[in-house]
Amino acid sequence: MKKLFSLLIVFTVLFCSCQSAEKQECSCIGHPAMLYNGIHYINPDMPVTELPEGYEYAGTVSEEMGHKTGNKDIPFYTKDGSDDFYTYQMTGTYIGGNMIDNTKQAFHYIQWIPIDEE
């Protein structure tokens, strides 16, 4: 009985450890997410060729901010009073509807918006 109880405790600790580790990750599994000011951001929209008005250069993406997206050392832009930001990076080219031609790579602006992680 003691062995079973000990085994249950070990599994409980492991399970709780995994749960707390998962909280550090984004709950949007399968979608690239960036981490900015402790908040996860996703890019659900199509790339644009011009930066929207009011956005200003805020620096370059650090490895921590890039958060497993491969985005590092690329410029990003913020706007006072807005909770999103844009990066300027190589992407496929928007061709209409919800379609991007990945064979036509060019630099575009990508909007990143915060996600709700409830």
Side-chain angles (χ1 to χ4, degrees):
M1 188 62 135
K2 286 183 180 181
K3 286 183 183 179
L4 178 61
F5 183 73
S6 297
L7 201 55
L8 285 174
I9 289 176
V10 169
F11 283 125
T12 302
V13 169
L14 285 173
F15 178 75
C16 291
S17 298
C18 290
Q19 290 294 327
S20 64
E22 286 176 13
K23 297 226 181 260
Q24 299 298 318
E25 294 298 318
C26 177
S27 62
C28 56
I29 306 245
H31 200 294
M34 300 215 357
L35 187 61
Y36 183 54
N37 292 331
I39 300 170
H40 287 101
Y41 288 75
I42 58 171
N43 60 338
D45 295 324
M46 296 291 133
V48 295
T49 56
E50 293 184 24
L51 187 62
E53 190 174 323
Y55 285 84
E56 295 181 357
Y57 178 76
T60 58
V61 173
S62 67
E63 187 170 339
E64 179 184 359
M65 182 179 176
H67 192 65
K68 301 178 186 176
T69 60
N71 294 334
K72 182 182 170 206
D73 299 328
I74 60 172
F76 74 99
Y77 303 83
T78 59
K79 180 179 176 180
D80 284 341
S82 181
D83 62 353
D84 66 345
F85 64 90
Y86 281 81
T87 55
Y88 188 63
Q89 64 190 81
M90 184 71 74
T91 69
T93 301
Y94 173 71
I95 57 173
N98 283 332
M99 304 208 31
I100 294 178
D101 184 347
N102 286 322
T103 64
K104 296 179 182 177
Q105 295 285 306
F107 280 93
H108 295 96
Y109 293 96
I110 303 290
Q111 182 184 33
W112 295 84
I113 61 170
I115 60 169
D116 184 17
E117 293 188 80
E118 294 179 4

